Amino acid sequence: MVFLDFQTKFLKNLEFQGTFFLDENILGHLQNLTRFSNKTAYQLGAMYYEAFGINDFSLFVEYTRIRPYVYTHKSLTDNHTAYGQIVGHHIGPNSDEIFVKTAYNLNEWIRPSLSFSYIRAGENIYEDGVLVRNVGGNVFEPYRPYIDSDDAVFLDGNRVNSTEIIFSTRIEPVRDIIFDLSYTYLFRDHVTENYSSKLGFAELLMTLAF
């Protein structure tokens, strides 16, 4: 496993960051960018503090791209997972995301924020719950020799486009006692299967930071 990370500090109030991740195939088939063994991912982003001259206002922008079969291995015990969750970016393999977030400090103890993310994903294809085509879209279903195609085209499979909007407010009325109140709206467009779904929910989280 190889990864590279950079973060800048040379511009006042403006920071650029990037990460590149490569797993398993170091030199073997890097010239074939669509081969299943080219398990690469990267993220590019920027943070702008006091954006556009507005005091206490922050702006975050990120783009993440993860190729098929990233985080997967032949043995499930070697996957980049723990307790059924990916140890890596939450969007998982065969997907990409555009993420934008704004935050504003109203005062010392109230911080509202608004985030937007647009995720494209290529999911594996199933019939009656049985896997019929593996496109590298599920971290728990690795490449199968002599069954799956050697070409793993990015975003192949059942295309699902998701839009997520989150409005949240962090309140700290007493030092080290924090309340996070948020509302999430999620719209999922199952492009290949020609249907969509919507979901909205609110959350309240209390944290004791002693």
Side-chain angles (χ1 to χ4, degrees), residues 149-202:
S149 172
D150 286 352
D151 284 328
V153 179
F154 183 62
L155 295 181
D156 197 7
N158 279 337
R159 173 70 68 83
V160 180
N161 298 335
S162 302
T163 300
E164 184 180 66
I165 300 173
I166 302 176
F167 174 76
S168 63
T169 301
R170 168 163 287 197
I171 303 173
E172 190 175 1
V174 180
R175 184 177 178 84
D176 295 330
I177 298 179
I178 303 168
F179 295 91
D180 288 290
L181 176 63
S182 65
Y183 177 79
T184 300
Y185 172 79
L186 178 62
F187 175 79
R188 289 171 61 87
D189 182 13
H190 297 256
V191 178
T192 306
E193 299 175 308
N194 195 30
Y195 75 94
S196 62
S197 61
K198 300 178 183 179
L199 177 66
F201 59 92

Side-chain angles (χ1 to χ4, degrees), residues 1-3 20-27 30 35-41 68-74 78-80 139:
M1 181 176 69
V2 175
F3 67 89
F20 175 79
F21 175 85
L22 185 149
D23 191 21
E24 282 196 350
N25 183 9
I26 304 302
L27 298 173
L30 289 181
R35 185 177 171 81
F36 76 92
S37 57
N38 282 335
K39 301 177 183 179
T40 57
Y69 297 108
V70 172
Y71 307 129
T72 68
H73 290 91
K74 294 179 182 179
D78 294 331
N79 278 0
H80 294 279
V139 69

Side-chain angles (χ1 to χ4, degrees), residues 26-183:
I26 304 302
L27 298 173
H29 302 93
L30 289 181
Q31 73 281 5
N32 186 349
L33 297 180
T34 64
R35 185 177 171 81
F36 76 92
S37 57
N38 282 335
K39 301 177 183 179
T40 57
Y42 67 86
Q43 181 183 82
L44 300 172
M47 183 187 75
Y48 189 12
Y49 182 67
E50 295 190 344
F52 313 113
I54 303 174
N55 293 335
D56 301 316
F57 177 72
S58 301
L59 174 64
F60 308 84
V61 180
E62 286 182 346
Y63 175 71
T64 304
R65 178 184 170 112
I66 305 176
R67 274 199 41 78
Y69 297 108
V70 172
Y71 307 129
T72 68
H73 290 91
K74 294 179 182 179
S75 171
L76 293 181
T77 59
D78 294 331
N79 278 0
H80 294 279
T81 59
Y83 298 101
Q85 301 297 320
I86 295 174
V87 183
H89 201 283
H90 68 92
I91 63 174
N94 202 23
S95 60
D96 66 354
E97 177 191 44
I98 296 173
F99 175 80
V100 180
K101 180 178 180 179
T102 61
Y104 182 69
N105 293 337
L106 285 176
N107 50 45
E108 294 181 352
W109 54 282
I110 300 180
R111 180 181 172 87
S113 64
L114 178 66
S115 67
F116 167 88
S117 65
Y118 180 71
I119 302 170
R120 301 183 302 171
E123 298 184 347
N124 291 347
I125 299 175
Y126 304 85
E127 290 183 3
D128 298 323
V130 178
L131 177 64
V132 296
R133 186 168 175 233
N134 189 0
V135 296
N138 188 332
V139 69
F140 297 106
E141 292 171 340
Y143 171 79
R144 301 168 299 178
Y146 310 111
I147 299 175
D148 301 325
S149 172
D150 286 352
D151 284 328
V153 179
F154 183 62
L155 295 181
D156 197 7
N158 279 337
R159 173 70 68 83
V160 180
N161 298 335
S162 302
T163 300
E164 184 180 66
I165 300 173
I166 302 176
F167 174 76
S168 63
T169 301
R170 168 163 287 197
I171 303 173
E172 190 175 1
V174 180
R175 184 177 178 84
D176 295 330
I177 298 179
I178 303 168
F179 295 91
D180 288 290
L181 176 63
S182 65
Y183 177 79

